[in-house]
C-alpha cells in the first residue's frame, strides 16, 4: 500500500519534492495559499489539498510530511507532526534557533515514530 505524504509548502522546493515522490506515494498538498496547493495537486496527480495545517496533522490517513515551507515555520510544523506520530522530512534549515532545536529534540524523544530526516535540496537554474 502506498504511503500518503503531504507536501507542506508549494513553492519551488515543494515542487522538487513532489516530482521525486509522485511515483512512489499518494501526495496531498498544503500551502498558506490554497490556490498553490490546488495547482500542485492537479499538476502532480495528488489526492487532495488542505487549507489548514492542523487538518494535515490531524488526518489519520497522512503517514508523513515533507516540509518545504519557509524556515521560520519549520520548528513549529515538525513538533506538531511528531506529536501526531507522523514521519517528517524537512528541508534545511531544520530550524533557526538553538531553542527550537531543543524543542524539536524533546518532541522527537517523546514520539514513538522517531523518524525525522533533513533534506538538502540542490537546485539548478
Amino acid at each position: 500500500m502506498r504511503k500518503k505524504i503531504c507536501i507542506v509548502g508549494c513553492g519551488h522546493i515543494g515542487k522538487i519534492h513532489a516530482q521525486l515522490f509522485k511515483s512512489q506515494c499518494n501526495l496531498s498538498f498544503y500551502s498558506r495559499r490554497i490556490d498553490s496547493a490546488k495547482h500542485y495537486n492537479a499538476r502532480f496527480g495528488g489526492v487532495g489539498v488542505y487549507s489548514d495545517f492542523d487538518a494535515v496533522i490531524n488526518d489519520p490517513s497522512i503517514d508523513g510530511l515533507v516540509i518545504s515551507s519557509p524556515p521560520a515555520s519549520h520548528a513549529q510544523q515538525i513538533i506538531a507532526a511528531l506529536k501526531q506520530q507522523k514521519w517528517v522530512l524537512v528541508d534545511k534549515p531544520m530550524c533557526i534557533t538553538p531553542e527550537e532545536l531543543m524543542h524539536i529534540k524533546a518532541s522527537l524523544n517523546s514520539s514513538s515514530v522517531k523518524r525525522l530526516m533533513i533534506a538538502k535540496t540542490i537546485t539548478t537554474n
Side-chain angles (χ1 to χ4, degrees), residues 41-107:
N41 190 62
R43 180 174 180 178
F44 296 107
V47 296
V49 300
Y50 296 88
S51 60
D52 180 70
F53 184 76
D54 287 337
V56 174
I57 61 169
N58 290 312
D59 184 341
S61 74
I62 297 289
D63 297 300
L65 286 72
V66 174
I67 298 177
S68 58
S69 57
S73 303
H74 288 183
Q76 173 195 14
Q77 291 172 338
I78 292 167
I79 291 165
L82 290 173
K83 284 182 181 177
Q84 293 298 323
Q85 310 301 317
K86 307 294 186 191
W87 296 349
V88 178
L89 172 66
V90 60
D91 221 283
K92 73 176 264 204
M94 178 173 65
C95 59
I96 297 175
T97 68
E99 292 79 19
E100 288 178 339
L101 181 59
M102 296 306 292
H103 290 297
I104 291 169
K105 182 178 178 183
S107 294

Side-chain angles (χ1 to χ4, degrees), residues 7-16 31 36 40 68:
I7 304 288
V8 175
C10 296
H12 180 69
I13 301 301
K15 178 176 76 172
I16 293 169
S31 178
S36 296
Y40 275 33
S68 58

